[in-house]
Amino acid sequence: MEFLAQMWSLLGLLTVLQNVLPSQLLWLLHSLWQSVQDSLTPYSYFDVPEFLGSASVEPNDLYRHAHLYLHHSLLPDSPPGPPRLTLSLPRSPDPASAAPSFSLSPNHSLEDAYAGHRMLWTHHADTLQDSLEERRAFSLRLPKRHAAALLPAYLAHVSAAADRLERSSRPRRLHTNSPAAGAGAGAWCSVPFRHPATFATLALDPALKSRLVADLSAFADARDFYRRTGRPWKRGYLLHGPPGSGKSSLVAAMANHLRYDVYDLELTRVASNAALRSLLLQTTNRSLIVIEDIDCSLDLTADRRRRRRHPPKQARKQAKKIGSLDESDGDASDADDRRSAGDEGRVTLSGLLNFTDGLWSCCGDERIIVFTTNYADRVDPALLRPGRMDVHVRLGPCGAHAARELTERYVGVAEHELLGEVESCIEAGAEMTPAEVGEVLLRSREEPDTAVRELVAELRERLRGGGRGDKDVEGWEEPVAESSEGSPEKKETRWEGRGRLRSLTKSDSGRRGV
């Protein structure tokens, strides 16, 4: 009882002193007490607020990284008897499949171990006075003796883990550009991206598939490489081949492998080069920008050839001075000048080149640009050189391995007496795209034997109708550089003995992946 009486007396004395002593002296005493505590404790403390500054406007990326790291890495692996958690059920279109999420409750802590040291994270949530606003923060406790050397490495570890978690868990969307209203630049509208195609479901040559996966993975992990070399963190792919060869499915598989958003850019809806730049600035990092059927989107190659035949008026006047241009060319050139003047109101080759490889292409990181076409020879060579389209992939008719893989996937038949006949027909020159093979198998998917027989019959019919001859098969192609006359120069090389690969300039990015 005497001890409790002394405690009450001390508390009473402190209350009297707090009311009597000036506020400046109280602040000084509090600072001295904090200094004594800091000198005696073996730990250093670091606060990580949710927002930077007092306006609560600019988010703190480190808080977001710590939140992801604690709630997705540490809490699931915490030992029995975890700290107090807050459960929540996010809104979902399908409530039956929605899983509850949990987070560390305010003013509770969670331990972590790194490099043989113990760290302690504490979650703080304080309600501001006379306000419903809540201010949240994490505090990190480190051993004081090792804090200077430990803190940078540990924060880099937390950010890297959060980056991987964010990439694998964030919802992804499929965007398309809406037509511009009047003189506007247009905007993106989007839906959830749920395409089921993956590299595991694609019927591709195994060597080509593995090389594509390696190239994409190397690109995603090459932040330091692109910074060190001073190159924009982007990569271009040209996918070409006949209709039904799987170009769109490959685009979806690439997006699913990297977990990128997809921007399906429709050039016919873009009013001008300025509108194209505005759309590019609206795209996010970690995105895959797709222009399908590039040869049909704009008649860019025809524009370039026409301008070579009929130079603009300024160049024609200069040529007249030296007598190198015939007067008979005047009418055609004047008409071309009128067409050239209208270029300002539409997307031109120059604008598209700026989009793929110019100054505006570096407005963002970790972006992949994909062109698809059925006819690669109709695309202007200036768009296809290294640095713009770094990787050329030809998706040809269905090969023997792909046909066997599609048969197993569609009708569940891995071994059949007629599968050897299927492979023999394909090797003899019978051509069917993967889409055509899938359609034949789909018609009789409930009767596997009938499906395989129908596939053999269709291949035999194709074989009687004409073989493939010396046409290219699917494979990886090196980019083609443009010669001074504007036409591509080619020389032949081979990649692992499969297909014909065409290249003039073998850039490091085309061969090594990054």
Side-chain angles (χ1 to χ4, degrees):
M1 295 296 295
E2 292 184 6
F3 175 75
L4 291 176
Q6 292 177 356
M7 287 293 299
W8 283 113
S9 300
L10 180 59
L11 290 174
L13 178 62
L14 291 175
T15 303
V16 171
L17 290 176
Q18 187 174 4
N19 293 328
V20 173
L21 296 177
S23 58
Q24 293 85 350
L25 181 58
L26 288 174
W27 179 84
L28 179 61
L29 293 174
H30 182 266
S31 300
L32 290 174
W33 176 246
Q34 286 292 116
S35 300
V36 172
Q37 280 188 315
D38 292 342
S39 63
L40 295 178
T41 182
Y43 300 107
S44 294
Y45 294 86
F46 302 89
D47 292 329
V48 184
E50 184 178 10
F51 295 97
L52 301 176
S54 57
S56 298
V57 174
E58 185 179 357
N60 185 359
D61 285 341
L62 186 55
Y63 178 90
R64 178 171 53 85
H65 292 170
H67 187 277
L68 283 169
Y69 178 74
L70 293 176
H71 299 150
H72 294 277
S73 292
L74 292 187
L75 285 177
D77 299 330
S78 59
R84 182 182 294 271
L85 303 178
T86 300
L87 290 174
S88 59
L89 188 65
R91 287 188 175 181
S92 173
D94 184 10
S97 63
S101 61
F102 49 87
S103 58
L104 190 63
S105 296
N107 304 317
H108 284 75
S109 302
L110 186 65
E111 284 191 352
D112 188 21
Y114 180 77
H117 298 280
R118 295 172 60 187
M119 290 78 168
L120 186 71
W121 288 95
T122 304
H123 183 209
H124 301 283
D126 301 320
T127 302
L128 299 181
Q129 189 175 7
D130 300 329
S131 173
L132 297 178
E133 182 181 355
E134 191 176 52
R135 181 167 294 174
R136 291 180 291 269
F138 287 109
S139 66
L140 173 62
R141 190 189 74 182
L142 297 177
K144 182 184 293 186
R145 182 181 302 177
H146 307 284
L150 198 59
L151 183 63
Y154 181 63
L155 292 182
H157 163 72
V158 170
S159 295
D163 188 67
R164 291 192 298 269
L165 289 165
E166 188 175 36
R167 180 181 301 178
S168 63
S169 62
R170 71 186 182 102
R172 293 173 301 119
R173 302 192 68 82
L174 172 62
H175 304 257
T176 187
N177 55 307
S178 57
W188 297 102
C189 53
S190 66
V191 296
F193 182 73
R194 298 192 181 101
H195 200 290
T198 64
F199 279 104
T201 64
L202 286 183
L204 283 179
D205 176 74
L208 174 61
K209 185 185 297 188
S210 62
R211 189 167 184 181
L212 277 170
V213 170
D215 188 75
L216 291 168
S217 300
F219 169 80
D221 296 333
R223 179 194 301 271
D224 294 337
F225 169 83
Y226 282 94
R227 287 182 177 176
R228 186 174 69 251
T229 56
R231 298 179 55 176
W233 192 4
K234 69 175 186 63
R235 192 151 177 79
Y237 287 79
L238 173 71
L239 311 182
H240 62 101
S245 56
K247 298 183 291 296
S248 297
S249 296
L250 179 54
V251 170
M254 293 166 66
N256 283 327
H257 176 73
L258 295 172
R259 301 201 64 82
Y260 283 5
D261 286 342
V262 178
Y263 288 84
D264 184 14
L265 178 60
E266 179 57 60
L267 286 179
T268 57
R269 295 180 178 178
V270 183
S272 63
N273 291 336
L276 181 64
R277 289 193 294 269
S278 177
L279 285 170
L280 177 64
L281 289 174
Q282 295 175 40
T283 59
T284 60
N285 295 341
R286 291 180 184 161
S287 59
L288 197 146
I289 304 170
V290 184
I291 303 179
E292 294 195 279
D293 298 321
I294 181 65
D295 56 304
C296 302
S297 297
L298 294 171
D299 192 14
L300 300 171
T301 304
D303 284 351
R304 216 156 80 116
R305 290 173 180 169
R306 186 182 66 232
R307 293 187 184 187
R308 283 178 183 150
R309 288 196 304 268
H310 307 298
K313 186 177 291 183
Q314 287 297 109
R316 192 167 63 255
K317 287 181 178 179
Q318 184 67 23
K320 282 183 179 179
K321 292 180 180 179
I322 59 176
S324 61
L325 189 65
D326 215 352
E327 291 293 337
S328 61
D329 292 337
D331 294 340
S333 298
D334 288 339
D336 184 69
D337 286 335
R338 288 191 293 271
R339 285 190 293 267
S340 298
D343 284 350
E344 296 179 359
R346 66 182 182 88
V347 176
T348 63
L349 177 64
S350 174
L352 196 56
L353 293 179
N354 234 342
F355 165 73
T356 57
D357 193 29
L359 292 175
W360 291 94
S361 67
C362 60
C363 297
D365 284 334
E366 205 171 346
R367 297 181 183 182
I368 288 180
I369 302 172
V370 180
F371 289 169
T372 72
T373 178
N374 297 333
Y375 309 100
D377 55 346
R378 297 183 185 178
V379 182
D380 196 295
L383 285 169
L384 306 182
R385 71 166 178 79
R388 291 165 183 166
M389 293 294 107
D390 306 292
V391 177
H392 295 190
V393 179
R394 186 183 192 280
L395 302 175
C398 196
H401 178 275
R404 181 178 287 271
E405 189 174 346
L406 287 172
T407 303
E408 181 178 1
R409 191 171 299 142
Y410 274 73
V411 298
V413 174
E415 297 295 335
H416 193 279
E417 58 183 5
L418 292 179
L419 285 179
E421 181 70 16
V422 170
E423 296 179 354
S424 299
C425 290
I426 292 175
E427 292 171 359
E431 289 187 359
M432 292 182 70
T433 64
E436 292 171 329
V437 172
E439 182 58 33
V440 171
L441 296 171
L442 191 62
R443 289 198 297 261
S444 303
R445 63 183 182 274
E446 302 298 334
E447 301 177 2
D449 186 71
T450 302
V452 177
R453 291 183 185 278
E454 290 180 354
L455 178 58
V456 171
E458 182 68 26
L459 286 169
R460 286 173 178 170
E461 183 65 27
R462 298 290 179 98
L463 192 57
R464 284 193 294 268
R468 178 175 57 210
D470 193 31
K471 295 182 182 178
D472 291 343
V473 295
E474 67 181 13
W476 181 291
E477 297 178 349
E478 298 288 352
V480 179
E482 185 185 11
S483 69
S484 57
E485 287 78 19
S487 60
E489 297 181 0
K490 303 178 183 178
K491 71 175 182 179
E492 294 183 359
T493 183
R494 291 188 178 272
W495 171 56
E496 296 182 2
R498 179 164 178 81
R500 294 171 54 146
L501 311 181
R502 295 183 291 275
S503 70
L504 173 68
T505 303
K506 292 184 172 62
S507 66
D508 289 341
S509 62
R511 284 202 308 266
R512 296 167 44 202
V514 282

